[in-house]
């Protein structure tokens, strides 16, 4: 129990030392990994069911060769594609932002050090 309290104290001290930038990095990372885990869950379960449902809808159609049927097929495929790509742009944005936030934290820390040294 004492080791757990020491671990929490160490983490708290680390975040206090890192300042507000570290909190932004932390919450951005948690958000990004939440979306990544959701996507993995979706592809492992929901996506398979969605594709099976689309196949059933298409296979149950009597007309599969007309222009109208091809547009319906494109719409079904587009809906699966939209479902598959949901959140990917936000995940990519988080991935691009996090290194820049780390750099900003480094610069912010250097500014703080030079301010302390100037006194």
């Amino acid at each position: 129990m004492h080791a757990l309290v020491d671990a929490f104290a160490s983490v708290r001290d680390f975040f206090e030392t890192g300042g507000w930038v570290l909190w932004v990095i932390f919450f951005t990372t948690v958000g990004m990994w939440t979306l990544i885990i959701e996507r993995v869950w979706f592809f492992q379960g929901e996506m398979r069911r969605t594709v099976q449902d689309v196949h059933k809808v298409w296979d149950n159609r009597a007309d599969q060769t007309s222009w109208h049927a091809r547009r319906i097929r494109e719409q079904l495929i587009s809906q699966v594609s939209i479902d598959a790509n949901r959140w990917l742009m936000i995940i990519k944005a988080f991935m691009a932002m996090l290194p820049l936030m780390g750099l900003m934290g480094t610069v912010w820390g250097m500014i703080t050090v030079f301010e302390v040294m100037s006194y």
Side-chain angles (χ1 to χ4, degrees), residues 60-94:
N60 290 335
R61 286 190 52 83
D63 175 27
Q64 294 183 352
T65 58
S66 69
W67 179 87
H68 183 68
R70 287 193 307 259
R71 298 296 82 78
I72 291 173
R73 181 176 178 266
E74 287 177 9
Q75 186 272 331
L76 292 170
I77 292 169
S78 294
Q79 188 60 46
V80 170
S81 177
I82 288 169
D83 290 345
N85 291 320
R86 183 174 290 129
W87 305 120
L88 292 184
M89 292 302 289
I90 294 173
I91 292 169
K92 287 179 184 179
F94 282 164

Side-chain angles (χ1 to χ4, degrees), residues 30-48:
V30 167
M32 180 186 71
W33 277 104
T34 301
L35 293 176
I36 290 171
I37 290 169
E38 187 276 334
R39 288 288 81 196
V40 169
W41 173 77
F42 175 78
F43 284 118
Q44 293 297 320
E46 292 293 318
M47 183 71 168
R48 291 178 184 165

Side-chain angles (χ1 to χ4, degrees), residues 19-36:
W20 65 272
V21 176
L22 192 57
W23 284 104
V24 172
I25 292 170
F26 173 74
F27 286 117
T28 304
T29 303
V30 167
M32 180 186 71
W33 277 104
T34 301
L35 293 176
I36 290 171

